[in-house]
mmCIF file of all heavy atoms in Angstrom:
data_model
loop_
_atom_site.group_PDB
_atom_site.id
_atom_site.type_symbol
_atom_site.label_atom_id
_atom_site.label_comp_id
_atom_site.label_asym_id
_atom_site.label_seq_id
_atom_site.Cartn_x
_atom_site.Cartn_y
_atom_site.Cartn_z
ATOM 1 N N THR A 1 -17.790 -9.788 1.739
ATOM 2 C CA THR A 1 -17.674 -9.387 3.155
ATOM 3 C C THR A 1 -16.419 -9.959 3.796
ATOM 4 O O THR A 1 -15.721 -9.293 4.562
ATOM 5 C CB THR A 1 -18.918 -9.811 3.920
ATOM 6 O OG1 THR A 1 -20.081 -9.217 3.356
ATOM 7 C CG2 THR A 1 -18.819 -9.396 5.385
ATOM 8 N N ALA A 2 -16.120 -11.216 3.453
ATOM 9 C CA ALA A 2 -14.892 -11.831 3.979
ATOM 10 C C ALA A 2 -13.671 -11.050 3.570
ATOM 11 O O ALA A 2 -12.706 -10.890 4.315
ATOM 12 C CB ALA A 2 -14.798 -13.287 3.522
ATOM 13 N N PHE A 3 -13.654 -10.559 2.322
ATOM 14 C CA PHE A 3 -12.564 -9.712 1.855
ATOM 15 C C PHE A 3 -12.547 -8.384 2.581
ATOM 16 O O PHE A 3 -11.513 -7.896 3.035
ATOM 17 C CB PHE A 3 -12.664 -9.475 0.330
ATOM 18 C CG PHE A 3 -12.072 -8.175 -0.118
ATOM 19 C CD1 PHE A 3 -10.695 -7.995 -0.090
ATOM 20 C CD2 PHE A 3 -12.879 -7.142 -0.559
ATOM 21 C CE1 PHE A 3 -10.127 -6.785 -0.499
ATOM 22 C CE2 PHE A 3 -12.333 -5.932 -0.961
ATOM 23 C CZ PHE A 3 -10.953 -5.752 -0.926
ATOM 24 N N LEU A 4 -13.702 -7.726 2.722
ATOM 25 C CA LEU A 4 -13.781 -6.405 3.286
ATOM 26 C C LEU A 4 -13.295 -6.372 4.734
ATOM 27 O O LEU A 4 -12.779 -5.356 5.208
ATOM 28 C CB LEU A 4 -15.206 -5.853 3.184
ATOM 29 C CG LEU A 4 -15.713 -5.522 1.774
ATOM 30 C CD1 LEU A 4 -17.191 -5.162 1.812
ATOM 31 C CD2 LEU A 4 -14.888 -4.404 1.140
ATOM 32 N N GLU A 5 -13.468 -7.471 5.468
ATOM 33 C CA GLU A 5 -13.042 -7.518 6.865
ATOM 34 C C GLU A 5 -11.614 -7.993 7.036
ATOM 35 O O GLU A 5 -11.128 -8.084 8.174
ATOM 36 C CB GLU A 5 -13.976 -8.425 7.667
ATOM 37 C CG GLU A 5 -15.370 -7.833 7.875
ATOM 38 C CD GLU A 5 -16.164 -8.568 8.949
ATOM 39 O OE1 GLU A 5 -15.562 -9.293 9.779
ATOM 40 O OE2 GLU A 5 -17.403 -8.444 8.944
ATOM 41 N N ALA A 6 -10.905 -8.297 5.959
ATOM 42 C CA ALA A 6 -9.578 -8.917 6.034
ATOM 43 C C ALA A 6 -8.477 -7.869 6.197
ATOM 44 O O ALA A 6 -8.595 -6.724 5.746
ATOM 45 C CB ALA A 6 -9.328 -9.776 4.810
ATOM 46 N N GLU A 7 -7.385 -8.327 6.794
ATOM 47 C CA GLU A 7 -6.185 -7.512 6.962
ATOM 48 C C GLU A 7 -5.157 -7.777 5.902
ATOM 49 O O GLU A 7 -4.299 -6.929 5.611
ATOM 50 C CB GLU A 7 -5.561 -7.742 8.339
ATOM 51 C CG GLU A 7 -6.477 -7.358 9.488
ATOM 52 C CD GLU A 7 -5.848 -7.643 10.847
ATOM 53 O OE1 GLU A 7 -4.735 -8.238 10.866
ATOM 54 O OE2 GLU A 7 -6.444 -7.278 11.877
ATOM 55 N N ASP A 8 -5.172 -8.971 5.314
ATOM 56 C CA ASP A 8 -4.259 -9.333 4.233
ATOM 57 C C ASP A 8 -4.846 -10.518 3.488
ATOM 58 O O ASP A 8 -5.956 -10.956 3.794
ATOM 59 C CB ASP A 8 -2.864 -9.673 4.779
ATOM 60 C CG ASP A 8 -2.865 -10.727 5.877
ATOM 61 O OD1 ASP A 8 -3.709 -11.638 5.851
ATOM 62 O OD2 ASP A 8 -1.987 -10.647 6.781
ATOM 63 N N PHE A 9 -4.114 -11.035 2.500
ATOM 64 C CA PHE A 9 -4.648 -12.107 1.686
ATOM 65 C C PHE A 9 -5.001 -13.348 2.511
ATOM 66 O O PHE A 9 -6.091 -13.897 2.391
ATOM 67 C CB PHE A 9 -3.666 -12.499 0.576
ATOM 68 C CG PHE A 9 -4.125 -13.669 -0.249
ATOM 69 C CD1 PHE A 9 -5.028 -13.510 -1.256
ATOM 70 C CD2 PHE A 9 -3.676 -14.961 0.047
ATOM 71 C CE1 PHE A 9 -5.480 -14.590 -2.007
ATOM 72 C CE2 PHE A 9 -4.115 -16.032 -0.690
ATOM 73 C CZ PHE A 9 -5.018 -15.874 -1.725
ATOM 74 N N GLU A 10 -4.061 -13.791 3.326
ATOM 75 C CA GLU A 10 -4.297 -14.989 4.128
ATOM 76 C C GLU A 10 -5.497 -14.807 5.041
ATOM 77 O O GLU A 10 -6.325 -15.721 5.203
ATOM 78 C CB GLU A 10 -3.052 -15.347 4.958
ATOM 79 C CG GLU A 10 -3.231 -16.600 5.789
ATOM 80 C CD GLU A 10 -2.004 -16.991 6.581
ATOM 81 O OE1 GLU A 10 -0.862 -16.731 6.098
ATOM 82 O OE2 GLU A 10 -2.160 -17.522 7.704
ATOM 83 N N ASP A 11 -5.606 -13.629 5.643
ATOM 84 C CA ASP A 11 -6.704 -13.361 6.551
ATOM 85 C C ASP A 11 -8.040 -13.418 5.805
ATOM 86 O O ASP A 11 -9.051 -13.876 6.342
ATOM 87 C CB ASP A 11 -6.523 -11.991 7.219
ATOM 88 C CG ASP A 11 -7.482 -11.749 8.364
ATOM 89 O OD1 ASP A 11 -7.598 -12.653 9.242
ATOM 90 O OD2 ASP A 11 -8.094 -10.675 8.415
ATOM 91 N N ALA A 12 -8.065 -12.947 4.560
ATOM 92 C CA ALA A 12 -9.275 -12.980 3.748
ATOM 93 C C ALA A 12 -9.743 -14.415 3.518
ATOM 94 O O ALA A 12 -10.915 -14.737 3.653
ATOM 95 C CB ALA A 12 -9.045 -12.274 2.427
ATOM 96 N N VAL A 13 -8.816 -15.284 3.149
ATOM 97 C CA VAL A 13 -9.149 -16.682 2.911
ATOM 98 C C VAL A 13 -9.620 -17.357 4.193
ATOM 99 O O VAL A 13 -10.585 -18.116 4.214
ATOM 100 C CB VAL A 13 -7.950 -17.432 2.286
ATOM 101 C CG1 VAL A 13 -8.248 -18.930 2.178
ATOM 102 C CG2 VAL A 13 -7.654 -16.859 0.905
ATOM 103 N N ARG A 14 -8.930 -17.070 5.301
ATOM 104 C CA ARG A 14 -9.364 -17.621 6.586
ATOM 105 C C ARG A 14 -10.763 -17.136 6.949
ATOM 106 O O ARG A 14 -11.565 -17.892 7.492
ATOM 107 C CB ARG A 14 -8.357 -17.273 7.689
ATOM 108 C CG ARG A 14 -7.022 -17.979 7.570
ATOM 109 C CD ARG A 14 -6.096 -17.687 8.745
ATOM 110 N NE ARG A 14 -4.831 -18.381 8.642
ATOM 111 C CZ ARG A 14 -4.600 -19.621 8.990
ATOM 112 N NH1 ARG A 14 -5.610 -20.358 9.507
ATOM 113 N NH2 ARG A 14 -3.414 -20.196 8.862
ATOM 114 N N ASN A 15 -11.055 -15.871 6.679
ATOM 115 C CA ASN A 15 -12.408 -15.346 6.915
ATOM 116 C C ASN A 15 -13.427 -16.178 6.149
ATOM 117 O O ASN A 15 -14.478 -16.545 6.698
ATOM 118 C CB ASN A 15 -12.481 -13.878 6.476
ATOM 119 C CG ASN A 15 -11.893 -12.917 7.473
ATOM 120 O OD1 ASN A 15 -11.660 -13.248 8.638
ATOM 121 N ND2 ASN A 15 -11.648 -11.687 7.049
ATOM 122 N N ALA A 16 -13.177 -16.400 4.881
ATOM 123 C CA ALA A 16 -14.127 -17.117 4.043
ATOM 124 C C ALA A 16 -14.336 -18.547 4.553
ATOM 125 O O ALA A 16 -15.484 -18.992 4.694
ATOM 126 C CB ALA A 16 -13.648 -17.140 2.604
ATOM 127 N N VAL A 17 -13.266 -19.232 4.839
ATOM 128 C CA VAL A 17 -13.363 -20.623 5.282
ATOM 129 C C VAL A 17 -14.098 -20.694 6.637
ATOM 130 O O VAL A 17 -14.862 -21.639 6.892
ATOM 131 C CB VAL A 17 -11.963 -21.270 5.376
ATOM 132 C CG1 VAL A 17 -12.064 -22.667 6.006
ATOM 133 C CG2 VAL A 17 -11.325 -21.375 3.991
ATOM 134 N N SER A 18 -13.904 -19.700 7.484
ATOM 135 C CA SER A 18 -14.519 -19.723 8.802
ATOM 136 C C SER A 18 -16.043 -19.648 8.755
ATOM 137 O O SER A 18 -16.698 -19.960 9.724
ATOM 138 C CB SER A 18 -13.980 -18.573 9.655
ATOM 139 O OG SER A 18 -14.548 -17.315 9.290
ATOM 140 N N LEU A 19 -16.616 -19.212 7.613
ATOM 141 C CA LEU A 19 -18.052 -19.158 7.515
ATOM 142 C C LEU A 19 -18.686 -20.520 7.343
ATOM 143 O O LEU A 19 -19.866 -20.725 7.617
ATOM 144 C CB LEU A 19 -18.467 -18.251 6.336
ATOM 145 C CG LEU A 19 -18.149 -16.778 6.481
ATOM 146 C CD1 LEU A 19 -18.564 -16.022 5.239
ATOM 147 C CD2 LEU A 19 -18.835 -16.185 7.698
ATOM 148 N N GLY A 20 -17.888 -21.484 6.863
ATOM 149 C CA GLY A 20 -18.432 -22.801 6.584
ATOM 150 C C GLY A 20 -19.123 -22.822 5.230
ATOM 151 O O GLY A 20 -18.922 -21.979 4.380
ATOM 152 N N GLY A 21 -19.968 -23.856 5.019
ATOM 153 C CA GLY A 21 -20.701 -23.962 3.792
ATOM 154 C C GLY A 21 -19.854 -24.443 2.642
ATOM 155 O O GLY A 21 -19.008 -25.316 2.789
ATOM 156 N N ASP A 22 -20.065 -23.820 1.483
ATOM 157 C CA ASP A 22 -19.344 -24.190 0.255
ATOM 158 C C ASP A 22 -17.943 -23.497 0.299
ATOM 159 O O ASP A 22 -17.673 -22.583 -0.489
ATOM 160 C CB ASP A 22 -20.146 -23.742 -0.947
ATOM 161 C CG ASP A 22 -19.634 -24.301 -2.281
ATOM 162 O OD1 ASP A 22 -18.713 -25.175 -2.227
ATOM 163 O OD2 ASP A 22 -20.131 -23.902 -3.328
ATOM 164 N N THR A 23 -17.098 -23.970 1.179
ATOM 165 C CA THR A 23 -15.879 -23.239 1.552
ATOM 166 C C THR A 23 -14.906 -23.082 0.411
ATOM 167 O O THR A 23 -14.200 -22.050 0.343
ATOM 168 C CB THR A 23 -15.173 -23.923 2.716
ATOM 169 O OG1 THR A 23 -15.054 -25.325 2.445
ATOM 170 C CG2 THR A 23 -15.966 -23.730 4.005
ATOM 171 N N ASP A 24 -14.760 -24.077 -0.462
ATOM 172 C CA ASP A 24 -13.791 -23.925 -1.544
ATOM 173 C C ASP A 24 -14.198 -22.820 -2.519
ATOM 174 O O ASP A 24 -13.364 -21.986 -2.905
ATOM 175 C CB ASP A 24 -13.567 -25.252 -2.269
ATOM 176 C CG ASP A 24 -14.815 -25.851 -2.872
ATOM 177 O OD1 ASP A 24 -15.922 -25.504 -2.419
ATOM 178 O OD2 ASP A 24 -14.705 -26.668 -3.817
ATOM 179 N N THR A 25 -15.467 -22.778 -2.880
ATOM 180 C CA THR A 25 -15.930 -21.735 -3.785
ATOM 181 C C THR A 25 -15.976 -20.377 -3.092
ATOM 182 O O THR A 25 -15.603 -19.358 -3.671
ATOM 183 C CB THR A 25 -17.311 -22.100 -4.357
ATOM 184 O OG1 THR A 25 -17.225 -23.316 -5.085
ATOM 185 C CG2 THR A 25 -17.835 -21.001 -5.257
ATOM 186 N N LEU A 26 -16.430 -20.354 -1.866
ATOM 187 C CA LEU A 26 -16.480 -19.120 -1.086
ATOM 188 C C LEU A 26 -15.076 -18.509 -0.995
ATOM 189 O O LEU A 26 -14.871 -17.307 -1.223
ATOM 190 C CB LEU A 26 -17.060 -19.396 0.275
ATOM 191 C CG LEU A 26 -17.359 -18.205 1.201
ATOM 192 C CD1 LEU A 26 -18.422 -17.326 0.594
ATOM 193 C CD2 LEU A 26 -17.778 -18.716 2.573
ATOM 194 N N ALA A 27 -14.093 -19.349 -0.661
ATOM 195 C CA ALA A 27 -12.706 -18.883 -0.526
ATOM 196 C C ALA A 27 -12.110 -18.539 -1.872
ATOM 197 O O ALA A 27 -11.243 -17.649 -1.973
ATOM 198 C CB ALA A 27 -11.872 -19.925 0.200
ATOM 199 N N ALA A 28 -12.501 -19.237 -2.942
ATOM 200 C CA ALA A 28 -12.008 -18.927 -4.269
ATOM 201 C C ALA A 28 -12.440 -17.526 -4.689
ATOM 202 O O ALA A 28 -11.629 -16.733 -5.223
ATOM 203 C CB ALA A 28 -12.476 -19.951 -5.291
ATOM 204 N N ILE A 29 -13.694 -17.191 -4.455
ATOM 205 C CA ILE A 29 -14.174 -15.847 -4.796
ATOM 206 C C ILE A 29 -13.508 -14.789 -3.944
ATOM 207 O O ILE A 29 -13.020 -13.758 -4.447
ATOM 208 C CB ILE A 29 -15.713 -15.796 -4.648
ATOM 209 C CG1 ILE A 29 -16.387 -16.776 -5.626
ATOM 210 C CG2 ILE A 29 -16.223 -14.370 -4.919
ATOM 211 C CD1 ILE A 29 -17.873 -16.970 -5.366
ATOM 212 N N THR A 30 -13.452 -15.039 -2.656
ATOM 213 C CA THR A 30 -12.768 -14.095 -1.737
ATOM 214 C C THR A 30 -11.292 -13.938 -2.144
ATOM 215 O O THR A 30 -10.788 -12.816 -2.196
ATOM 216 C CB THR A 30 -12.871 -14.595 -0.295
ATOM 217 O OG1 THR A 30 -14.247 -14.703 0.093
ATOM 218 C CG2 THR A 30 -12.161 -13.655 0.655
ATOM 219 N N GLY A 31 -10.646 -15.063 -2.366
ATOM 220 C CA GLY A 31 -9.223 -15.030 -2.725
ATOM 221 C C GLY A 31 -8.954 -14.263 -4.007
ATOM 222 O O GLY A 31 -7.939 -13.589 -4.151
ATOM 223 N N SER A 32 -9.845 -14.383 -4.979
ATOM 224 C CA SER A 32 -9.640 -13.680 -6.248
ATOM 225 C C SER A 32 -9.675 -12.181 -6.060
ATOM 226 O O SER A 32 -8.923 -11.436 -6.713
ATOM 227 C CB SER A 32 -10.719 -14.135 -7.274
ATOM 228 O OG SER A 32 -12.002 -13.674 -6.916
ATOM 229 N N ILE A 33 -10.528 -11.690 -5.177
ATOM 230 C CA ILE A 33 -10.606 -10.251 -4.889
ATOM 231 C C ILE A 33 -9.425 -9.817 -4.016
ATOM 232 O O ILE A 33 -8.784 -8.806 -4.255
ATOM 233 C CB ILE A 33 -11.926 -9.905 -4.190
ATOM 234 C CG1 ILE A 33 -13.120 -10.336 -5.072
ATOM 235 C CG2 ILE A 33 -12.011 -8.418 -3.920
ATOM 236 C CD1 ILE A 33 -14.450 -10.295 -4.331
ATOM 237 N N ALA A 34 -9.113 -10.633 -3.010
ATOM 238 C CA ALA A 34 -8.034 -10.294 -2.074
ATOM 239 C C ALA A 34 -6.696 -10.218 -2.788
ATOM 240 O O ALA A 34 -5.832 -9.418 -2.443
ATOM 241 C CB ALA A 34 -7.979 -11.316 -0.948
ATOM 242 N N GLU A 35 -6.474 -11.091 -3.773
ATOM 243 C CA GLU A 35 -5.219 -11.049 -4.539
ATOM 244 C C GLU A 35 -5.055 -9.673 -5.182
ATOM 245 O O GLU A 35 -3.950 -9.081 -5.146
ATOM 246 C CB GLU A 35 -5.224 -12.106 -5.637
ATOM 247 C CG GLU A 35 -4.008 -12.008 -6.557
ATOM 248 C CD GLU A 35 -4.060 -12.969 -7.743
ATOM 249 O OE1 GLU A 35 -5.155 -13.552 -7.969
ATOM 250 O OE2 GLU A 35 -3.035 -13.119 -8.420
ATOM 251 N N ALA A 36 -6.109 -9.145 -5.779
ATOM 252 C CA ALA A 36 -6.020 -7.868 -6.468
ATOM 253 C C ALA A 36 -5.801 -6.704 -5.507
ATOM 254 O O ALA A 36 -5.169 -5.712 -5.862
ATOM 255 C CB ALA A 36 -7.286 -7.646 -7.293
ATOM 256 N N PHE A 37 -6.315 -6.811 -4.304
ATOM 257 C CA PHE A 37 -6.208 -5.726 -3.330
ATOM 258 C C PHE A 37 -4.923 -5.812 -2.513
ATOM 259 O O PHE A 37 -4.206 -4.811 -2.357
ATOM 260 C CB PHE A 37 -7.408 -5.772 -2.377
ATOM 261 C CG PHE A 37 -7.504 -4.563 -1.480
ATOM 262 C CD1 PHE A 37 -8.159 -3.413 -1.914
ATOM 263 C CD2 PHE A 37 -6.965 -4.576 -0.213
ATOM 264 C CE1 PHE A 37 -8.262 -2.314 -1.086
ATOM 265 C CE2 PHE A 37 -7.077 -3.469 0.625
ATOM 266 C CZ PHE A 37 -7.703 -2.327 0.194
ATOM 267 N N PHE A 38 -4.612 -6.971 -1.968
ATOM 268 C CA PHE A 38 -3.472 -7.122 -1.047
ATOM 269 C C PHE A 38 -2.215 -7.648 -1.747
ATOM 270 O O PHE A 38 -1.106 -7.443 -1.232
ATOM 271 C CB PHE A 38 -3.820 -8.115 0.059
ATOM 272 C CG PHE A 38 -4.946 -7.698 0.965
ATOM 273 C CD1 PHE A 38 -6.152 -8.366 0.935
ATOM 274 C CD2 PHE A 38 -4.785 -6.664 1.846
ATOM 275 C CE1 PHE A 38 -7.179 -8.001 1.790
ATOM 276 C CE2 PHE A 38 -5.814 -6.278 2.704
ATOM 277 C CZ PHE A 38 -7.020 -6.946 2.680
ATOM 278 N N GLY A 39 -2.360 -8.342 -2.876
ATOM 279 C CA GLY A 39 -1.274 -9.141 -3.385
ATOM 280 C C GLY A 39 -1.190 -10.448 -2.608
ATOM 281 O O GLY A 39 -1.919 -10.668 -1.635
ATOM 282 N N ILE A 40 -0.327 -11.333 -3.052
ATOM 283 C CA ILE A 40 -0.157 -12.640 -2.411
ATOM 284 C C ILE A 40 1.315 -12.834 -2.061
ATOM 285 O O ILE A 40 2.183 -12.610 -2.903
ATOM 286 C CB ILE A 40 -0.621 -13.776 -3.335
ATOM 287 C CG1 ILE A 40 -2.089 -13.588 -3.729
ATOM 288 C CG2 ILE A 40 -0.423 -15.136 -2.662
ATOM 289 C CD1 ILE A 40 -2.579 -14.639 -4.713
ATOM 290 N N PRO A 41 1.627 -13.239 -0.812
ATOM 291 C CA PRO A 41 3.035 -13.498 -0.478
ATOM 292 C C PRO A 41 3.652 -14.527 -1.420
ATOM 293 O O PRO A 41 2.984 -15.472 -1.877
ATOM 294 C CB PRO A 41 2.927 -14.063 0.949
ATOM 295 C CG PRO A 41 1.651 -13.521 1.485
ATOM 296 C CD PRO A 41 0.727 -13.446 0.309
ATOM 297 N N ALA A 42 4.923 -14.344 -1.716
ATOM 298 C CA ALA A 42 5.606 -15.208 -2.676
ATOM 299 C C ALA A 42 5.527 -16.674 -2.283
ATOM 300 O O ALA A 42 5.381 -17.563 -3.122
ATOM 301 C CB ALA A 42 7.057 -14.768 -2.828
ATOM 302 N N VAL A 43 5.644 -16.937 -0.985
ATOM 303 C CA VAL A 43 5.652 -18.311 -0.541
ATOM 304 C C VAL A 43 4.304 -18.997 -0.814
ATOM 305 O O VAL A 43 4.252 -20.173 -1.128
ATOM 306 C CB VAL A 43 6.030 -18.422 0.942
ATOM 307 C CG1 VAL A 43 4.954 -17.830 1.854
ATOM 308 C CG2 VAL A 43 6.371 -19.856 1.317
ATOM 309 N N LEU A 44 3.214 -18.247 -0.735
ATOM 310 C CA LEU A 44 1.886 -18.815 -1.034
ATOM 311 C C LEU A 44 1.706 -19.029 -2.534
ATOM 312 O O LEU A 44 1.103 -20.008 -2.950
ATOM 313 C CB LEU A 44 0.760 -17.934 -0.493
ATOM 314 C CG LEU A 44 0.611 -17.907 1.031
ATOM 315 C CD1 LEU A 44 -0.570 -17.016 1.422
ATOM 316 C CD2 LEU A 44 0.430 -19.294 1.587
ATOM 317 N N LYS A 45 2.268 -18.130 -3.340
ATOM 318 C CA LYS A 45 2.230 -18.351 -4.788
ATOM 319 C C LYS A 45 2.983 -19.615 -5.143
ATOM 320 O O LYS A 45 2.552 -20.415 -5.964
ATOM 321 C CB LYS A 45 2.824 -17.167 -5.532
ATOM 322 C CG LYS A 45 1.877 -16.004 -5.724
ATOM 323 C CD LYS A 45 2.455 -15.006 -6.703
ATOM 324 C CE LYS A 45 1.441 -13.899 -7.008
ATOM 325 N NZ LYS A 45 1.939 -12.923 -8.010
ATOM 326 N N ALA A 46 4.137 -19.764 -4.532
ATOM 327 C CA ALA A 46 4.937 -20.960 -4.774
ATOM 328 C C ALA A 46 4.178 -22.217 -4.342
ATOM 329 O O ALA A 46 4.210 -23.237 -5.031
ATOM 330 C CB ALA A 46 6.277 -20.848 -4.043
ATOM 331 N N GLU A 47 3.500 -22.152 -3.211
ATOM 332 C CA GLU A 47 2.727 -23.288 -2.733
ATOM 333 C C GLU A 47 1.601 -23.613 -3.718
ATOM 334 O O GLU A 47 1.311 -24.788 -3.988
ATOM 335 C CB GLU A 47 2.137 -22.971 -1.365
ATOM 336 C CG GLU A 47 1.507 -24.170 -0.663
ATOM 337 C CD GLU A 47 2.504 -25.161 -0.139
ATOM 338 O OE1 GLU A 47 3.505 -24.733 0.445
ATOM 339 O OE2 GLU A 47 2.289 -26.348 -0.319
#
């Protein structure tokens, strides 16, 4: 759901973290899907 409501990769991760709970795992799952859909900005890959 965090992915489905997102506008881009960063927004997807922020969505996931904003739910609270097991945020690292929640954001990891969301981020893995968001990467495939949106791609990841080069600067974030570098980070």
Side-chain angles (χ1 to χ4, degrees):
T1 301
F3 152 70
L4 292 173
E5 289 194 20
E7 298 178 355
D8 53 34
F9 176 82
E10 181 179 328
D11 192 48
V13 173
R14 289 185 179 277
N15 280 345
V17 173
S18 77
L19 293 178
D22 191 8
T23 49
D24 58 338
T25 299
L26 187 64
I29 298 169
T30 300
S32 69
I33 303 168
E35 174 187 12
F37 189 86
F38 297 111
I40 301 176
V43 68
L44 289 183
K45 278 192 175 182
E47 190 73 44

